Amino acid sequence: MLEDKTPKRTTLEELGEFGLIEHLTKNFTNKQISTIKGIGDDAAILDFQETKTVVSTDLLIEGVHFDLSYMPLKHLGYKAVMVNLSDIYAMNAKATQITVSLAVSNRFPLEALEEFYQGIALAAETYKVDLIGGDTTSSTKGMLISITALGTVLEENITYRNGAKPNDLLVISGDLGGAYMGLQVLEREKEVFKVDPNNQPDLSPYSYIIERQLKPEARKDIPTLLESLDVKPSAMIDISDGLSSEILHLCKESKVGCNLFEDKIPLDPTVISSCEEFNLDSTLVALSGGEDYELLFTIDQSAFPKIKGNPNLTVIGHMASENEGAHLITRGNTKIPLVAQGWNALGKT
């Protein structure tokens, strides 16, 4: 079938603000019993009864948080939801609803926003959250996305950042560094494309790390898994800014130190091979890369037998007294202070 070189382009002015919202959200249906009234009135009505409400919000700006030259709009919609749901799961809570606010310039036709909302719809369906409202407006600076996520949790199950104790084990879900290395591949291919627009890269060897960048998954399964194992984390945080930064957040809020063991940091083989290709240190990538959206948490040592051998979880260190500070124990058994370098350490600002 020949590609349509003149795809349909409906300007947003043709619908108007309310018509646009109605058009983009007409196929969303509510699944949560706590959603009494969603889209369609001045405000949403929610009823959480005896549980506590958890709220988190994030702002994503084109050119700062995402690059539409290689980020498909459907993936962007999906990822924007994941960024917020991850914060809800980091409180050991269940995500229930989201609101989506969007500002776009006139270079975005209706069809582009439909694609964006397809990603939001897929995320909402997969993670069983209701879209209950939001706003759309015009922008002179491209695309801006603001998503708020709500969730519920029983008071006794809430997990803050400030509950870690000395000698608690430091545990992580999944593996690290994939999102950052996926970004490196995409940025490289973007530069190649600029030079030769006919170049068609073979990205199949990098499929895992590219997916980690373009379509991450929030770890909804981890709070459920911990509950099934009868393990209550003492502190928890999601990894958006890099492992070292998040560990230091836990240490500061809990007033403890930490020993992180380099040889315990989980890395996918694709991350290791791509780090070699780009001449990057894989430990630095894991510590400072960010956007992995894994969960980092602490547990009492007595809970270790319950998680031991679980393929979803890795013990990567232990907490220490506050005056000991936070350190990386290298493979050569050298003790290096942990620094929250974030993207700057890897050549990003």
Side-chain angles (χ1 to χ4, degrees):
M1 182 177 173
L2 290 173
E3 182 184 355
D4 183 2
K5 296 296 184 183
T6 56
K8 188 171 179 348
R9 183 182 169 89
T10 308
T11 65
L12 301 184
E13 287 81 3
E14 291 178 46
L15 286 89
E17 181 185 354
F18 294 111
L20 175 62
I21 293 171
E22 186 178 342
H23 178 82
L24 293 173
T25 61
K26 64 179 184 289
N27 295 323
F28 284 80
T29 57
N30 295 334
K31 304 167 190 68
Q32 297 287 338
I33 58 171
S34 53
T35 306
I36 307 302
K37 177 66 178 177
I39 298 166
D41 215 308
D42 293 297
I45 305 292
L46 308 176
D47 180 6
F48 293 124
Q49 297 175 351
E50 77 279 3
T51 59
K52 300 299 180 185
T53 307
V54 186
V55 183
S56 177
T57 191
D58 270 292
L59 182 65
L60 301 174
I61 300 172
E62 183 181 354
V64 178
H65 301 103
F66 59 90
D67 185 334
L68 290 176
S69 64
Y70 52 70
M71 168 66 86
L73 283 163
K74 184 175 180 180
H75 286 66
L76 179 61
Y78 192 92
K79 181 174 180 175
V81 176
M82 291 306 110
V83 169
N84 284 272
L85 297 190
S86 184
D87 286 328
I88 302 297
Y89 301 135
M91 301 300 293
N92 206 28
K94 173 192 174 187
T96 50
Q97 286 91 8
I98 56 170
T99 68
V100 177
S101 292
L102 195 61
V104 288
S105 64
N106 58 12
R107 71 182 167 91
F108 291 88
L110 173 64
E111 289 73 20
L113 298 195
E114 287 175 337
E115 191 181 331
F116 176 75
Y117 267 79
Q118 283 173 12
I120 290 174
L122 179 60
E125 178 62 37
T126 304
Y127 284 76
K128 300 294 181 271
V129 295
D130 292 342
L131 176 65
I132 59 165
D135 190 23
T136 61
T137 189
S138 59
S139 158
T140 58
K141 299 290 185 184
M143 188 180 217
L144 295 87
I145 307 158
S146 177
I147 294 185
T148 297
L150 296 94
T152 61
V153 61
L154 293 171
E155 187 168 9
E156 61 267 27
N157 292 335
I158 300 172
T159 306
Y160 298 102
R161 297 177 180 181
N162 63 3
K165 303 283 189 295
N167 300 317
D168 277 1
L169 299 178
L170 185 65
V171 187
I172 194 165
S173 66
D175 53 73
L176 298 177
Y180 181 80
M181 292 315 298
L183 180 62
Q184 300 317 295
V185 172
L186 292 166
E187 289 281 357
R188 179 183 68 185
E189 297 308 326
K190 176 185 173 182
E191 294 307 313
V192 171
F193 181 79
K194 283 180 184 175
V195 176
D196 179 12
N198 295 315
N199 179 65
Q200 290 296 317
D202 178 16
L203 297 178
S204 55
Y206 309 103
S207 57
Y208 176 71
I209 58 176
I210 288 175
E211 184 160 329
R212 292 284 279 175
Q213 170 58 222
L214 296 183
K215 190 176 174 287
E217 300 291 346
R219 295 307 302 257
K220 176 184 180 180
D221 58 318
I222 298 302
T224 305
L225 172 65
L226 294 176
E227 185 179 25
S228 70
L229 296 172
D230 191 27
V231 173
K232 169 72 164 64
S234 48
M236 186 150 60
I237 192 171
D238 79 320
I239 298 188
S240 54
D241 297 327
L243 179 60
S244 58
S245 176
E246 313 303 0
I247 288 175
L248 290 172
H249 282 310
L250 289 183
C251 289
K252 180 183 177 182
E253 295 298 321
S254 296
K255 295 181 170 53
V256 293
C258 178
N259 287 312
L260 166 69
F261 292 88
E262 182 181 21
D263 61 351
K264 300 294 185 188
I265 298 172
L267 300 169
D268 186 84
T270 316
V271 172
I272 296 169
S273 61
S274 59
C275 282
E276 290 171 356
E277 185 182 340
F278 282 83
N279 198 26
L280 288 169
D281 180 79
S282 59
T283 299
L284 181 59
V285 166
L287 290 176
S288 303
E291 289 202 295
D292 288 306
Y293 301 108
E294 297 293 345
L295 293 180
L296 175 73
F297 58 95
T298 55
I299 61 171
D300 188 271
Q301 287 196 20
S302 63
F304 176 66
K306 296 177 181 178
I307 69 159
K308 183 181 178 183
N310 191 293
N312 295 287
L313 305 173
T314 307
V315 177
I316 58 173
H318 60 82
M319 311 317 280
S321 63
E322 186 176 20
N323 59 14
E324 193 175 327
H327 292 88
L328 174 73
I329 313 300
T330 69
R331 293 184 181 89
N333 211 30
T334 306
K335 210 170 184 180
I336 302 173
L338 269 183
V339 181
Q341 299 178 101
W343 293 62
N344 291 331
L346 294 158
K348 293 286 176 185
T349 54

